[in-house]
């Protein structure tokens, strides 16, 4: 399967966006707590949300970096579980995906 050069650009742009998001979250988390105890409680709840946002971004960064490695290795677009080709429409929608739809469904069922 021929991989358009735009895929690398898309993945790199997404990587930049995610890294910037993580940097913003980390900056927000470094902010000192308010002196007011009520405000501190709100700040701590906000921090939990920011932690979740950061964790999701870091997980996606890992997927994007793995996709770039597969692109360099010439295995981009090949399911890492079964070795079948990943449908072009799936790659278009999820450029960093590593599973074909069948393997992704099986993985979801196993994790449910």
């Amino acid at each position: 399967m021929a991989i358009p050069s735009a895929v690398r650009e898309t993945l790199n742009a997404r990587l930049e966006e995610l890294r910037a998001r993580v940097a913003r979250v980390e900056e927000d988390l470094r902010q000192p707590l308010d002196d007011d105890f009520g405000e501190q409680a709100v700040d701590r709840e906000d921090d939990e949300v920011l932690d979740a946002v950061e964790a999701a971004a870091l997980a996606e960064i890992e997927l994007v970096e793995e996709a770039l490695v597969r692109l360099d290795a010439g295995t981009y677009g090949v399911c890492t579980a079964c070795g079948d080709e990943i449908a072009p429409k799936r790659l278009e929608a999820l450029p960093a995906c590593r599973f074909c739809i069948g393997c992704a469904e099986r993985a979801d069922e196993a994790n449910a």
Side-chain angles (χ1 to χ4, degrees):
M1 163 171 53
I3 306 297
S5 62
V7 170
R8 182 177 301 280
E9 292 172 20
T10 299
L11 291 169
N12 282 324
R14 184 66 179 154
L15 197 54
E16 276 185 46
E17 178 184 323
L18 291 165
R19 286 179 176 156
R21 181 178 302 159
V22 168
R24 285 190 307 272
V25 166
E26 288 176 353
E27 177 63 29
D28 286 346
L29 290 172
R30 281 193 291 270
Q31 298 302 313
L33 292 175
D34 195 285
D35 289 336
D36 180 84
F37 288 119
E39 283 300 316
Q40 284 182 15
V42 171
D43 288 345
R44 289 179 198 269
E45 286 178 12
D46 290 347
D47 287 353
E48 288 177 19
V49 172
L50 289 173
D51 284 339
V53 168
E54 182 179 32
L58 290 170
E60 189 175 349
I61 285 171
E62 186 175 329
L63 289 174
V64 172
E65 287 175 338
E66 289 172 2
L68 287 166
V69 167
R70 290 191 308 276
L71 196 61
D72 290 340
T75 59
Y76 180 82
V78 176
C79 178
T80 60
C82 71
D84 286 347
E85 184 177 313
I86 299 172
K89 290 283 186 192
R90 180 166 171 74
L91 288 171
E92 187 178 316
L94 302 166
C97 73
R98 58 184 171 193
F99 299 132
C100 66
I101 191 71
C103 290
E105 288 172 350
R106 283 188 287 284
D108 286 345
E109 289 170 3
N111 292 327

